């Protein structure tokens, strides 16, 4: 067998394993497990702590504090005993996989995470015979709930086998979703640039360019008429543009992060400037914000002052503490994913979505299993669910570079990230920054997002809002229960840790959107007459790429 033929076996083998493991490298998991087990075996103090926990753990456990067992039905025997014993076992394993002396902290976190996933599977809430709510429903409906659940399970299995895991939605892009009127003013091999039609006679002199993450369809920011960030900004008197990324396929396997810089943000900025704007506000969401920070650093390095402000929404620029999403980001895991992508040229959308679901398995996996297959209820369709199911793929080359250069090596935070054969530094950015994080973000943990203040030397307004990665950003005014904290760090101010910052800033009722709109307005320079729709538009919003 020749060397090239031998090398073609690894990707195929790893791709097959990935279908079984959900994309997780078995070597990475085993390595962490061995490290933990050997050190635990050599820690008699830890073992005595575990023995004490096994003897007294039941007394310190309250099932009512866990959402899975909060229903009154769990307070009656034998359900209460099952819940109590399960949670005691969960607490025991949590203690066993934490604070074992000598274990690599990342290995300890991996074992803790993996153990929690396994324990979640065996929760008594997940089985019909041990869930009192399911038993009561089964008695009331004479088993019809289980029959419906079996039918729902077969429907979902058939969709999975046919590679069409998305359930038909009652919401349609262009009719119910992404309906803000606009025009496609640029289309290249990677993006469509959409300009929204102004609703005010005059607009602020600097337009807004929004850069969504390439792992999502852009219309999360133009979800419905009531929950549209772009429509809100448009009605505040801003000329708004947004990038709609192409959903990559095999032909895009060699697309690199440099392509996303050049064909993405740079192409969009050049188009906006060609339409008469000397400068603009740039906004990035999630990974779109990370890419925007890279481009803003490169522009500052090259003396380009086209950006009068940069806003980063739930975006990380330092990946040293990325939360549980970064647990398996090591050489073994990245190599495993690279081999999986090599067989197709991209990472499948469901593989990416599965990683995010594992971070909140009780909310995103097991609660749905109970509702759909045991209680026989379909979750009512809603716009956010429809968008969430409309996932995108990752081109192999770009995703590999992203994982290695950002997650694995943290090159951007360390000043080593290369754009145009030269490195970029966040400290070069001189325009004011507006940074938003969300309290319950499992994708971009807020303390990780906050590290932007440590890595920049310009004015930064930091906002912490309630909600999660999507819900916190979609915080339209007028919704009850909304609040946020905000603080300002001027150039030259001493750094304050995230914990101290939280203690010093009290929450304010309302939506951070209004605060941001005022900030953008204060960093704009005059107004001008709104231009009509372009004569040579390439089509109406939402464009073509959103349907890919």
């Amino acid at each position: 067998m020749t060397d090239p033929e031998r090398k073609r076996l690894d990707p195929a083998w790893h791709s097959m394993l990935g279908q079984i493991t959900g994309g997780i490298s078995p070597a990475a998991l085993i390595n962490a497990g061995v490290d933990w087990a050997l050190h635990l075996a050599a820690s008699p103090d830890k073992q005595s702590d575990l023995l004490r926990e096994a003897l007294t753990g039941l007394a310190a456990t309250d099932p009512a504090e866990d959402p899975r067992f909060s229903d009154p039905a769990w307070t009656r025997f034998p359900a209460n005993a099952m819940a109590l014993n399960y949670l005691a076992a969960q607490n025991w394993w949590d203690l066993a996989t934490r604070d074992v002396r000598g274990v690599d902290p990342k290995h300890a976190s991996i074992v803790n995470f993996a153990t929690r996933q396994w324990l979640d599977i065996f929760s008594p809430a997940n089985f019909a015979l041990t869930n009192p709510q399911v038993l009561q429903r089964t008695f009331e409906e004479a088993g019809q709930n289980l029959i419906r659940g079996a039918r729902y399970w077969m429907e979902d299995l058939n969709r999975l086998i046919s590679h069409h895991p998305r359930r038909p939605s009652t919401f349609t892009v262009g009719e119910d979703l992404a309906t803000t009127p606009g025009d496609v003013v640029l289309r290249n091999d990677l993006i469509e640039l959409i300009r929204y039609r102004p609703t005010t006679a005059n607009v602020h002199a600097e337009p807004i360019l929004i850069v969504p993450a390439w792992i999502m369809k852009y219309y999360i920011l133009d979800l419905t008429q009531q929950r549209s960030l772009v429509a809100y900004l448009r009605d505040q008197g801003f000329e708004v543009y947004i990038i709609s990324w192409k959903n990559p396929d095999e032909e895009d396997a060699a697309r690199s992060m440099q392509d996303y810089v050049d064909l993405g943000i740079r192409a969009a900025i050049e188009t906006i400037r060609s339409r008469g704007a000397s400068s603009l506000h740039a906004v990035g969401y999630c990974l779109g914000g990370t890419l925007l920070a890279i481009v803003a650093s490169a522009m500052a390095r090259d003396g380009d002052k086209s950006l009068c402000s940069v806003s980063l929404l739930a975006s990380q620029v330092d990946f040293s503490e990325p939360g549980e999403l970064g647990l398996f980001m090591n050489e073994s895991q990245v190599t495993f994913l690279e081999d999986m992508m090599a067989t197709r040229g991209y990472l499948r959308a469901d593989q990416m979505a599965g990683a995010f679901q594992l971070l909140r398995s009780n909310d995103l996996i097991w609660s749905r299993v109970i509702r759909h297959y045991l209680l026989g209820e379909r979750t009512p369709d809603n716009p956010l669910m429809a968008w969430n199911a409309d996932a995108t793929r990752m081109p192999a080359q770009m995703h590999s570079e992203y994982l290695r250069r950002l997650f694995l090596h943290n090159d951007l935070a360390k000043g080593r990230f290369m754009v145009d054969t030269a490195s970029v530094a966040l400290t070069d950015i001189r325009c004011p920054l507006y940074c938003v994080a969300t309290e319950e973000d499992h994708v971009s943990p807020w303390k990780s997002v906050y590290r932007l203040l440590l890595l920049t030397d310009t004015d930064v307004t930091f906002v912490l809002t309630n909600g999660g990665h999507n819900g916190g950003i979609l915080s339209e005014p007028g919704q009850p229960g909304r609040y946020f904290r905000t603080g300002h760090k001027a150039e030259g101010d001493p750094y304050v840790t995230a914990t101290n910052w939280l203690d010093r800033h009290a929450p304010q009722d309302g939506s951070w959107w209004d605060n941001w709109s005022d900030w953008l307005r204060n960093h704009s320079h005059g107004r001008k007459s709104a231009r009509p729709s372009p004569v040579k538009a390439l089509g109406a919003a939402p464009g073509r790429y959103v349907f890919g």
Side-chain angles (χ1 to χ4, degrees):
M1 181 182 296
T2 66
D3 192 58
E5 289 174 334
R6 178 182 61 81
K7 289 183 178 180
R8 282 199 296 269
L9 293 177
D10 284 355
W13 172 246
H14 290 162
S15 181
M16 183 186 70
L17 284 179
Q19 307 306 313
I20 301 172
T21 65
I24 296 176
S25 167
L29 189 58
I30 293 171
N31 189 32
V34 169
D35 184 18
W36 166 77
L38 290 177
H39 283 89
L40 179 62
S43 301
D45 286 340
K46 185 68 174 181
Q47 293 171 23
S48 65
D49 291 341
L50 293 176
L51 178 60
R52 188 180 307 110
E53 175 69 16
L55 296 175
T56 63
L58 282 176
T61 302
D62 182 5
E65 296 179 357
D66 191 302
R68 291 171 292 183
F69 310 116
S70 60
D71 189 275
W74 287 98
T75 63
R76 296 187 291 271
F77 184 83
N80 58 350
M82 290 186 292
L84 192 65
N85 281 279
Y86 170 77
L87 290 176
Q90 181 177 268
N91 293 339
W92 189 91
W93 277 104
D94 184 67
L95 178 65
T97 53
R98 293 182 186 273
D99 302 322
V100 180
R101 288 174 57 83
V103 179
D104 184 300
K106 190 167 186 178
H107 287 169
S109 296
I110 290 174
V111 174
N112 182 272
F113 176 82
T115 302
R116 193 166 68 247
Q117 301 308 311
W118 274 106
L119 287 173
D120 285 345
I121 295 174
F122 298 104
S123 166
N126 296 341
F127 302 93
L129 292 178
T130 54
N131 187 323
Q133 295 171 268
V134 175
L135 290 174
Q136 182 176 349
R137 179 69 61 83
T138 303
F139 176 77
E140 292 172 351
E141 297 191 20
Q144 289 301 309
N145 56 308
L146 297 179
I147 295 174
R148 287 196 308 274
R151 186 171 69 249
Y152 295 155
W153 182 80
M154 288 299 299
E155 290 174 359
D156 293 344
L157 179 63
N158 288 334
R159 275 192 288 267
L160 185 64
I161 294 174
S162 63
H163 300 292
H164 292 89
R166 182 183 179 187
R167 283 169 46 204
S169 175
T170 58
F171 296 91
T172 304
V173 174
E175 297 179 11
D176 311 291
L177 311 172
T179 59
T180 302
D183 302 279
V184 177
V185 296
L186 167 68
R187 181 182 295 119
N188 59 29
D189 291 338
L190 188 59
I191 71 166
E192 288 180 329
L193 181 64
I194 299 171
R195 178 209 183 236
Y196 292 97
R197 300 167 190 167
T199 55
T200 56
N202 295 305
V203 294
H204 296 282
E206 292 84 11
I208 295 175
L209 170 63
I210 301 177
V211 184
W214 55 84
I215 64 171
M216 60 176 68
K217 296 293 180 71
Y218 84 89
Y219 64 88
I220 181 64
L221 301 176
D222 185 27
L223 198 60
T224 63
Q225 292 182 355
Q226 295 76 28
R227 305 190 73 183
S228 174
L229 181 62
V230 297
Y232 171 82
L233 292 171
R234 175 206 61 184
D235 293 341
Q236 297 297 308
F238 292 97
E239 184 179 12
V240 182
Y241 294 80
I242 196 168
I243 288 175
S244 175
W245 299 100
K246 177 187 176 184
N247 197 3
D249 53 27
E250 294 89 342
E251 296 179 355
D252 301 297
R255 293 280 182 208
S256 65
M257 290 201 71
Q258 183 72 48
D259 291 324
Y260 275 67
V261 168
D262 294 335
L263 295 175
I265 298 180
R266 280 178 169 169
I269 291 176
E270 182 59 33
T271 298
I272 295 172
R273 293 184 62 182
S274 71
R275 296 171 57 81
S278 58
S279 61
L280 64 146
H281 301 287
V283 182
Y285 179 29
C286 188
L287 295 182
T290 306
L291 186 65
L292 175 59
I294 292 169
V295 173
S297 300
M299 294 173 70
R301 176 200 65 190
D302 298 339
D304 188 337
K305 299 181 179 180
S306 298
L307 304 182
C308 64
S309 79
V310 171
S311 299
L312 304 178
L313 316 181
S315 304
Q316 297 178 92
V317 296
D318 185 328
F319 291 81
S320 59
E321 299 176 0
E324 289 185 331
L325 195 60
L327 287 181
F328 296 93
M329 285 303 106
N330 52 36
E331 185 65 36
S332 174
Q333 180 62 46
V334 173
T335 300
F336 193 73
L337 287 175
E338 287 174 338
D339 285 346
M340 288 178 63
M341 292 187 292
T343 60
R344 287 188 176 88
Y346 57 83
L347 185 67
R348 292 204 324 263
D350 61 320
Q351 291 170 327
M352 176 62 69
F356 291 127
Q357 288 177 336
L358 280 177
L359 301 184
R360 297 173 56 201
S361 59
N362 283 327
D363 294 333
L364 300 180
I365 298 177
W366 299 115
S367 66
R368 295 180 181 179
V369 168
I370 296 168
R371 185 183 307 115
H372 293 181
Y373 308 141
L374 300 183
L375 295 176
E377 301 173 355
R378 277 299 197 193
T379 303
D381 200 8
N382 63 65
L384 192 58
M385 285 182 57
W387 167 82
N388 192 58
D390 194 8
T392 57
R393 299 177 288 271
M394 304 291 107
Q397 178 67 25
M398 184 279 298
H399 197 53
S400 173
E401 291 180 0
Y402 160 69
L403 293 176
R404 287 190 174 278
R405 297 167 69 181
L406 294 176
F407 260 104
L408 197 58
H409 300 145
N410 205 16
D411 284 349
L412 179 58
K414 295 180 179 180
R416 298 191 302 238
F417 196 95
M418 305 291 287
V419 176
D420 303 330
T421 72
S423 61
V424 300
L426 294 165
T427 51
D428 289 341
I429 299 175
R430 284 292 173 262
C431 64
L433 301 175
Y434 191 94
C435 180
V436 182
T438 65
E439 291 179 343
E440 301 170 19
D441 199 328
H442 63 287
V443 177
S444 303
W446 83 264
K447 290 184 178 180
S448 179
V449 174
Y450 181 84
R451 292 179 69 85
L452 174 76
L453 279 71
L454 183 64
L455 299 172
T456 52
D457 292 331
T458 189
D459 284 8
V460 182
T461 297
F462 183 77
V463 173
L464 179 63
T465 184
N466 65 326
H469 187 70
N470 295 320
I473 298 302
L474 297 183
S475 182
E476 69 276 13
Q479 291 296 314
R482 299 292 190 184
Y483 64 85
F484 65 96
R485 293 174 169 86
T486 181
H488 177 247
K489 176 182 178 292
E491 182 179 356
D493 284 353
Y495 176 72
V496 177
T497 65
T499 302
N500 289 339
W501 185 94
L502 185 67
D503 293 337
R504 296 179 186 181
H505 295 85
Q508 306 175 34
D509 291 335
S511 168
W512 66 268
W513 285 17
D514 291 331
N515 179 273
W516 183 40
S517 177
D518 291 340
W519 185 89
L520 289 169
R521 192 176 298 110
N522 291 335
H523 289 88
S524 299
H525 304 87
R527 299 177 74 95
K528 62 182 181 180
S529 298
R531 288 176 295 176
S533 300
V535 176
K536 296 183 180 180
L538 303 176
R544 297 180 189 170
Y545 285 172
V546 73
F547 297 104

